[in-house]
Amino acid sequence: MSPAVWPRENPLEERLLHVDPRAGRLRDARIADLPALLEPGDLLVVNDGATLPASLHGATERGAAVEVRLIGELSEGRYAALLFGAGDWHTRTEERPAPPALGPGDAVTFGEDLSAVIERVPPASPRLVEIAFRERGAPLWSALYRRGRPIQYAYVAAPLAIWHTQTRYASQPLCAELPSAGRPLVWGLLLELIRRGVRVASLTHAAGISSAGEPALDALLPLPERFDIPEETVAAVREAKARGRRVIAVGTTVTRALEGCAAQHGGELQAGPGVTDLVLHHGFRPRVVDGLLTGVHDPTESHFRLLEAFAPASLLHRANSYAEEAGYLCHEFGDSYLVLS
């Protein structure tokens, strides 16, 4: 399937394929049709995490070029990160050269105002590290936004600016990459949903990277990720369930947060922060989420396999074949599926 190579001008005109698991039916639509596909009382839950400028190009103390991609914040000024060698997003991720060998105590400098020290190299891979920035607070955030760029991949047509990788309702800067399922939800569409009686609630989930460019590392994705669920969202979910209405997650990040939280509390959703290592798969039975709005992805990607928690693999493959033949576009700026009975 062809990727979308750039954000499109009118998200409302983007394609939306309604996949009905109960009826085994596919229906062509547009993002603008979403209010007509939901019902009064349904609850749409979005991820309000903002996307970081998580790609940082720097040099080691010996002058070797290295790209550090921030995966997720561990504590103030400390991040899990992924290392790449020389080059940039123009080269396919899996073809990037290996980074220089770095270990605890080694420093990387990104400019006169930003530097970090390697604290730990987990056993999974020498490319997976934990780093601590020497800067803290406002100086760190200012330097990150001066020096960093959004993570992007070789199929994108040109360098992305940070605003290309934000949802309209983005809030806390915690995401390594764009929580792309919510990208086409413009304010007018959200207001129309609310006008028709669909409730909209939010949570924050630190969306991680989608590709490490190395099979062993890609097999570990998604890595554990932080989330924070407000009390108002927990109350909205409970009310929707009590009234027999549907809870629709905007993206697998929202699904991981809701289902991961419920799994940690005996099936009950609890407000507050947490970390989830939940991996959705064909055998997983959702307790909270009834449907999913998500981007179009290739069947070879791990993201596609996550959808099997909501629909049979045979129906998803049929949907993918139809979408490919109909000219749907994939990846973060691509078209969407609504998997909902």
Side-chain angles (χ1 to χ4, degrees):
M1 189 177 298
S2 298
V5 300
W6 194 250
R8 285 168 285 178
E9 205 163 300
N10 185 0
L12 295 177
E13 288 301 311
E14 293 177 17
R15 308 284 294 277
L16 175 65
L17 184 63
H18 180 199
V19 181
D20 185 336
R22 187 172 300 161
R25 186 172 58 224
L26 307 176
R27 177 186 170 188
D28 249 325
R30 300 280 175 178
I31 286 291
D33 299 321
L34 184 62
L37 297 173
L38 303 185
E39 298 174 358
D42 284 345
L43 175 66
L44 193 73
V45 185
V46 303
N47 178 5
D48 68 6
T51 309
L52 287 162
S55 170
L56 297 162
H57 286 265
T60 68
E61 291 170 299
R62 295 182 178 180
V66 62
E67 180 189 357
V68 175
R69 293 187 179 180
L70 305 180
I71 297 175
E73 188 179 33
L74 301 172
S75 61
E76 185 184 359
R78 298 179 59 250
Y79 286 81
L82 185 67
L83 303 180
F84 290 85
D88 59 20
W89 62 272
H90 290 94
T91 302
R92 295 176 64 205
T93 309
E94 56 270 27
E95 295 171 359
R96 289 284 297 275
L102 295 175
D106 288 334
V108 180
T109 300
F110 306 103
E112 69 277 1
D113 56 352
L114 187 62
S115 60
V117 174
I118 307 295
E119 287 194 327
R120 179 172 175 264
V121 181
S125 169
R127 293 180 54 216
L128 196 62
V129 299
E130 295 176 6
I131 67 170
F133 287 101
R134 288 173 171 148
E135 298 73 20
R136 288 289 190 275
L140 171 59
W141 286 105
S142 295
L144 281 176
Y145 277 85
R146 275 194 301 271
R147 301 289 177 183
R149 304 282 301 180
I151 293 173
Q152 67 179 93
Y153 297 94
Y155 52 79
V156 180
L160 293 169
I162 192 65
W163 56 82
H164 290 132
T165 61
Q166 309 297 338
T167 59
R168 268 67 175 182
Y169 42 78
S171 175
Q172 298 182 61
L174 289 174
C175 299
E177 295 185 12
L178 165 67
S180 55
R183 179 193 51 76
L185 301 183
V186 297
W187 285 115
L189 181 65
L190 291 168
L191 291 172
E192 177 64 15
L193 285 163
I194 293 168
R195 190 186 70 78
R196 292 192 181 212
V198 176
R199 295 192 65 182
V200 179
S202 67
L203 55 79
T204 307
H205 184 103
I209 58 169
S210 56
S211 174
E214 180 181 312
L217 278 176
D218 284 339
L220 300 177
L221 301 179
L223 298 170
E225 294 165 348
R226 295 168 57 191
F227 65 82
D228 195 355
I229 305 177
E231 183 61 57
E232 295 85 350
T233 298
V234 172
V237 169
R238 289 175 179 163
E239 182 180 343
K241 292 293 186 183
R243 295 175 58 194
R245 309 314 301 165
R246 300 173 297 183
V247 175
I248 299 101
V250 179
T252 53
T253 60
V254 172
T255 308
R256 285 191 90 202
L258 293 174
E259 296 295 343
C261 178
Q264 294 168 8
H265 297 94
E268 285 291 319
L269 203 57
Q270 300 290 330
V275 176
T276 181
D277 60 0
L278 177 69
V279 177
L280 304 172
H281 54 83
H282 72 277
F284 180 80
R285 294 292 174 265
R287 301 182 183 188
V288 180
V289 177
D290 301 297
L292 183 65
L293 177 68
T294 184
V296 174
H297 290 266
D298 191 270
T300 60
E301 297 178 44
S302 59
H303 184 284
F304 186 87
R305 295 192 293 275
L306 305 182
L307 302 184
E308 293 182 19
F310 293 91
S314 58
L315 178 59
L316 291 172
H317 282 282
R318 183 156 61 89
N320 185 75
S321 296
Y322 174 83
E324 185 168 13
E325 188 174 316
Y328 278 64
L329 300 177
C330 64
H331 292 316
E332 68 269 35
F333 301 120
D335 296 307
S336 302
Y337 290 153
L338 175 65
V339 185
L340 181 67
S341 294

